[in-house]
Every structure is written in structure tokens, then in C-alpha cells.
């Protein structure tokens, strides 16, 4: 198997991403999405995305490539609330007459 040249890789990405997603995704966006997908599948495990991208420092991967997923964050928050006992979730009533 022969390694891709940069132009060859760009052409292959254009061909395959257009076929699969209906639009061309450039190499940088493809790389960023791949890292974010890996990180989203294993939240907090930036080392997996770091290995995929070949970064020396995990902070490089985390800061520049791994994007937050609001849906995933909301799901995690919902799951945390759902696991709490009902009484712990109930708002406390304030008794105005006692100053409490």
C-alpha cells in the first residue's frame, strides 16, 4: 500500500465524505470531528483522542480539537438528577415567619 500525498488524501476525503455525508469535509474538520467523536464516546478520556491525533500532550488535544457536546452534557446532568433520591431533589420551603 502506498502512502497518500497531501493532495491525494484531500481528494480521497473529498470523494468519500461527499458520498457519505453529502458534502466535502476538509482534512482539518475531518480530524477535529474524529477526535471529538472519540472523546464523546469516552468522556474524560482525552488520551484516546490524543493517540488518534498523535499529540505529545493531552492538553493540546483537549484545547484545540475536542469540542463539547451539549446533548451529551445534558444527558449526563439528567442521569445524575434521575439517580438522586426524590427527597433530595425536592426544593426546600422557606418559612418566612421564622426567618428561615
Amino acid at each position: 500500500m502506498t502512502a497518500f500525498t497531501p493532495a491525494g488524501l484531500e481528494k480521497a476525503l473529498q470523494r468519500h465524505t461527499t458520498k457519505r455525508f453529502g458534502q466535502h469535509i476538509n482534512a482539518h474538520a475531518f480530524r477535529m470531528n474524529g477526535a471529538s467523536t472519540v472523546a464523546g464516546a469516552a468522556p474524560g478520556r482525552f488520551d484516546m483522542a490524543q493517540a488518534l491525533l498523535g499529540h505529545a500532550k493531552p492538553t493540546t488535544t483537549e484545547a484545540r480539537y475536542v469540542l463539547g457536546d451539549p446533548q451529551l452534557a445534558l444527558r449526563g446532568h439528567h442521569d445524575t438528577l434521575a439517580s438522586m433520591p426524590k427527597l433530595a431533589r425536592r426544593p426546600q420551603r422557606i418559612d418566612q415567619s421564622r426567618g428561615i
Side-chain angles (χ1 to χ4, degrees), residues 13-70:
L13 274 172
Q14 182 175 4
R15 185 174 59 252
H16 290 289
T17 59
T18 300
K19 182 179 177 181
R20 178 72 169 108
F21 306 118
Q23 66 182 24
H24 168 60
I25 299 173
N26 68 36
H28 180 73
F30 187 78
R31 183 175 162 86
M32 186 167 60
N33 285 317
S36 294
T37 300
V38 168
R45 294 288 315 273
F46 295 113
D47 58 317
M48 293 172 71
Q50 177 190 1
L52 176 70
L53 298 172
H55 290 156
K57 297 178 183 176
T59 52
T60 303
T61 307
E62 183 177 358
R64 294 191 176 96
Y65 285 89
V66 180
L67 305 176
D69 182 347

Side-chain angles (χ1 to χ4, degrees), residues 76-93:
H77 181 69
H78 177 267
D79 292 346
T80 299
L81 288 175
S83 70
M84 295 171 64
K86 266 192 172 182
L87 291 176
R89 293 193 318 243
R90 207 176 282 165
Q92 299 294 319
R93 295 187 72 190

